[in-house]
Amino acid sequence: MSDVVRILVGVLLVVVGALWFGQGMGWIGGSGMSGETLWAVVGPVVALLGLGMVASGLRRRSAR
């Protein structure tokens, strides 16, 4: 996977994870996920994975 793609996918995962966390906490309504504890747990895990991908992509780019 190229570094740019890794960074973009990582950013997307951070945004999706934050959205899921907000829905799970009940801060963002209008979904079946709103107020569900599962998404309040899954969201930060996905966001952390995304941050790891971004960091990995940036590290690999700077190593060149």
Side-chain angles (χ1 to χ4, degrees), residues 10-61:
V11 168
L12 179 65
L13 286 175
V14 169
V15 171
V16 168
L19 175 66
W20 288 352
F21 178 70
Q23 287 178 323
M25 294 299 292
W27 300 336
I28 303 171
S31 169
M33 295 165 58
S34 298
E36 294 291 328
T37 306
L38 171 69
W39 299 109
V41 175
V42 171
V45 171
V46 170
L48 286 173
L49 289 172
L51 284 175
M53 286 185 75
V54 170
S56 170
L58 290 174
R59 226 178 296 123
R60 286 174 43 136
R61 283 182 66 94

